[in-house]
Amino acid sequence: MKETVLYYTPQPTKQSRTLKGILVRMGIRIRNISPQQVNQTVGMLAGVPEFEEKADTVASPSQSISEEVLVLHQFSEQRLDALLLSLRKANVRIALKAIVTEQNCGWTFYQLYEEIRQEHEKMHQNGEPN
């Protein structure tokens, strides 16, 4: 299975164009996530074979995402390090990042967003870096 990035951005920016350029140069598949897809499972969006599309695929107003989210799938440790280094060098800062795991594959994209947003807030409150 090919390395895939699930990428959500509320609005395209210069940073999102830079990010996509890096992903293309590295040969990484980009899956742009739309507001209508945030209720689909992470596994389905990432192309994990055993996950099927959920019937409820329309985002409700209470489930809107206002931040960029980057979810990585099928990365080796070396490729993950190379991607993060490339992003850092290009000054691309996305606070909410996660890796697809067996545990979060069945969550909706929105549930994963909420989880990593809460974790980020807790780390930030404790004075830890992003």
Side-chain angles (χ1 to χ4, degrees):
M1 198 175 272
K2 186 175 179 173
E3 298 164 331
T4 303
V5 167
L6 306 179
Y7 178 58
Y8 180 90
T9 184
Q11 184 172 327
T13 62
K14 182 178 184 227
Q15 175 169 282
S16 62
R17 287 188 297 277
T18 302
L19 166 70
K20 289 179 181 184
I22 291 168
L23 296 174
V24 167
R25 280 192 300 279
M26 291 183 72
I28 298 167
R29 181 175 161 228
I30 307 163
R31 178 86 195 262
N32 294 303
I33 306 302
S34 70
Q36 293 76 27
Q37 293 174 303
V38 300
N39 285 328
Q40 294 176 354
T41 65
V42 171
M44 195 282 302
L45 293 169
V48 177
E50 55 271 13
F51 286 87
E52 297 178 359
E53 187 172 349
K54 287 182 67 173
D56 179 19
T57 60
V58 178
S60 66
S62 64
Q63 290 189 322
S64 63
I65 300 174
S66 60
E67 302 165 85
E68 288 180 295
V69 181
L70 202 61
V71 181
L72 311 166
H73 182 55
Q74 293 293 331
F75 279 76
S76 68
E77 190 174 331
Q78 291 171 327
R79 287 285 286 173
L80 177 61
D81 289 345
L83 173 59
L84 295 176
L85 180 62
S86 294
L87 295 177
R88 202 172 309 121
K89 283 182 177 178
N91 204 30
V92 173
R93 305 281 186 237
I94 298 174
L96 303 180
K97 294 183 282 295
I99 293 179
V100 175
T101 66
E102 195 174 302
Q103 180 182 355
N104 65 28
C105 247
W107 298 357
T108 66
F109 190 86
Y110 184 80
Q111 288 171 317
L112 179 58
Y113 157 73
E114 278 293 310
E115 180 71 20
I116 58 180
R117 184 184 59 77
Q118 289 170 11
E119 287 176 8
H120 181 73
E121 285 177 5
K122 285 178 188 173
M123 286 190 323
H124 207 0
Q125 287 172 352
N126 294 335
E128 294 180 26
N130 290 344

